[in-house]
């Protein structure tokens, strides 16, 4: 067992209340600028992305793995708590809690200081309202190497523990940028169209072009609409093209995370084809 300076939590003291609020309360996460993270893979990704860990919790009386011991040793400046079993279970949202729970400082990306890549691959999610969907699309954005994920308007708390788990920790590697208004998006798009001829592609089941007949290429911004309302009329007016994904089933639309993943894959597939043809 790690022998560093360890604090104990055996009653619902002020530290316990802070931890519980970081897990459950959006306002507290925003105020403290911290996230609550559990699950071995999510913690590993957090560490790999080099976010600043502020607290590490482990359960009293449970033998830690070599990995957990190494995390405690790696972060001696973080507060380290040995938590009684009943309180640890209360803090955890998992049926079978992982051996560690950590908190970390939120790393925010400044829209004003965004450094656009030469051939950008952007994704914009309009007012996301489902925690699982947003976490899933972050996973896909990481898998297909999206440069920036924009979040427009009032939305779910992207740092909710459910989003972190659904993203499997990919949120820590994602460049997330928050847009407060469509006006700021419009200004950005004008600049990017002038700089790199950015194409803006929306997705809707009633889109004018079928995806199978469309060659999605970078530089591109893919826009995903709100789960319930779809893309706003204003956002639709900003699109160069609105595509639909061809389907043969009875239901005429896909879950937004599924639809988004298909579009991201198409962009990635076409990038690969272009590179291959250029190398021949």
């Amino acid at each position: 067992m790690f022998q560093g300076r360890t604090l104990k939590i055996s009653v619902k003291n002020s530290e316990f209340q802070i931890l519980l609020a970081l897990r459950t309360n959006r306002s507290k996460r925003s105020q403290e600028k911290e996230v609550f993270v559990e699950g071995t893979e999510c913690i590993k990704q957090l560490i790999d992305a080099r976010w600043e860990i502020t607290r590490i919790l482990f359960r009293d009386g449970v033998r830690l793995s070599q990995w957990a011991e190494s995390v405690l040793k790696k972060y001696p400046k973080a507060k380290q708590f040995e938590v009684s079993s009943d309180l640890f279970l209360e803090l955890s949202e998992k049926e079978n809690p992982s051996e560690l729970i950590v908190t970390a400082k939120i790393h925010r990306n400044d829209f004003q200081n965004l450094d656009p890549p030469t051939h950008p691959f952007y994704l914009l999610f309009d007012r996301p309202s489902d925690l699982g969907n947003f976490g899933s699309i972050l996973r896909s954005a990481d898998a297909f190497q999206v440069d920036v994920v924009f979040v427009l308007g009032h939305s779910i708390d992207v740092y909710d523990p459910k989003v972190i788990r659904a993203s499997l920790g990919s949120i820590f590697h994602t460049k997330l940028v928050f847009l407060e208004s469509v006006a700021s998006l419009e200004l950005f798009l004008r600049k990017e169209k002038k700089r790199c001829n950015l194409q803006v592609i929306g997705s809707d089941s009633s889109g004018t072009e079928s995806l199978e007949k469309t060659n999605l290429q970078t530089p591109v911004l893919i826009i995903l609409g709100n789960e319930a309302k779809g893309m706003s009329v204003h956002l639709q007016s900003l699109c160069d093209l609105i595509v639909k994904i061809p389907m043969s089933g009875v239901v005429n639309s896909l879950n937004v995370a599924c639809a988004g993943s298909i579009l991201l894959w198409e962009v990635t597939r076409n990038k690969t084809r272009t590179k291959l043809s250029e190398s021949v």
Side-chain angles (χ1 to χ4, degrees):
M1 176 69 70
F2 174 69
Q3 296 300 316
R5 182 172 177 268
T6 302
L7 305 170
K8 290 184 178 290
I9 298 180
S10 55
V11 295
K12 295 182 180 181
N13 57 18
S14 59
E15 194 70 48
F16 176 87
Q17 299 300 336
I18 290 171
L19 287 160
L20 189 61
L22 286 175
R23 194 201 84 193
T24 60
N25 191 294
R26 175 178 188 159
S27 297
K28 188 66 174 177
R29 287 190 290 270
S30 177
Q31 177 189 336
E32 298 294 328
K33 296 180 174 57
E34 289 186 82
V35 288
F36 181 99
V37 185
E38 59 177 327
T40 301
E41 186 58 32
C42 290
I43 295 173
K44 285 180 177 178
Q45 296 304 329
L46 174 76
I47 292 170
D48 189 50
R50 298 184 178 180
W51 282 36
E52 179 189 349
I53 292 179
T54 53
R55 300 177 187 83
I56 306 173
L57 287 68
F58 57 95
R59 203 178 342 173
D60 180 25
V62 175
R63 185 177 179 83
L64 297 178
S65 68
Q66 187 176 358
W67 168 77
E69 294 276 6
S70 71
V71 173
L72 289 165
K73 289 177 182 177
K74 186 174 182 178
Y75 296 96
K77 292 182 179 179
K79 290 183 179 179
Q80 301 186 2
F81 295 97
E82 186 176 47
V83 185
S84 65
S85 185
D86 58 329
L87 295 184
F88 194 91
L89 292 171
E90 187 171 339
L91 283 174
S92 175
E93 284 191 314
K94 299 179 69 178
E95 187 174 333
N96 297 306
S98 54
E99 52 187 340
L100 295 182
I101 293 173
V102 306
T103 61
K105 282 293 181 184
I106 292 172
H107 177 72
R108 295 289 290 256
N109 295 286
D110 184 6
F111 177 51
Q112 302 303 322
N113 296 321
L114 184 64
D115 185 19
T118 305
H119 297 284
F121 185 6
Y122 297 137
L123 173 67
L124 183 145
F125 205 144
D126 179 27
R127 300 160 295 157
S129 57
D130 184 275
L131 300 168
N133 276 339
F134 191 75
S136 294
I137 200 63
L138 288 181
R139 228 173 133 176
S140 295
D142 176 68
F144 301 126
Q145 297 184 305
V146 171
D147 295 307
V148 181
V149 176
F150 294 99
V151 180
L152 177 63
H154 182 70
S155 70
I156 48 97
D157 178 15
V158 302
Y159 298 110
D160 187 287
K162 290 185 176 67
V163 172
I164 294 171
R165 288 205 305 278
S167 79
L168 207 63
S170 59
I171 187 172
F172 304 123
H173 299 282
T174 303
K175 185 174 285 187
L176 275 172
V177 173
F178 300 90
L179 298 170
E180 294 183 358
S181 66
V182 178
S184 59
L185 172 64
E186 286 181 308
L187 178 60
F188 175 75
L189 292 181
R190 282 198 295 271
K191 290 179 178 178
E192 285 295 88
K193 281 179 175 289
K194 185 177 181 180
R195 182 185 71 88
C196 65
N197 198 28
L198 183 76
Q199 190 175 27
V200 181
I201 305 295
S203 174
D204 191 270
S205 58
S206 59
T208 54
E209 288 286 340
S210 175
L211 180 60
E212 62 187 351
K213 298 178 181 179
T214 307
N215 184 22
L216 298 186
Q217 293 271 9
T218 59
V220 68
L221 167 70
I222 302 294
I223 297 181
L224 301 179
N226 173 267
E227 290 92 335
K229 300 176 182 178
M231 276 192 302
S232 67
V233 174
H234 198 157
L235 277 182
Q236 290 182 40
S237 71
L238 299 178
C239 293
D240 298 307
L241 189 66
I242 299 178
V243 300
K244 59 184 176 182
I245 298 169
M247 292 177 289
S248 303
V250 176
V251 179
N252 69 345
S253 64
L254 289 169
N255 167 284
V256 66
C258 294
S261 298
I262 291 170
L263 293 172
L264 297 183
W265 160 242
E266 274 295 307
V267 175
T268 303
R269 185 168 69 106
N270 290 330
K271 281 172 64 178
T272 303
R273 282 178 170 177
T274 301
K275 287 180 181 178
L276 288 173
S277 63
E278 289 175 349
S279 64
V280 174

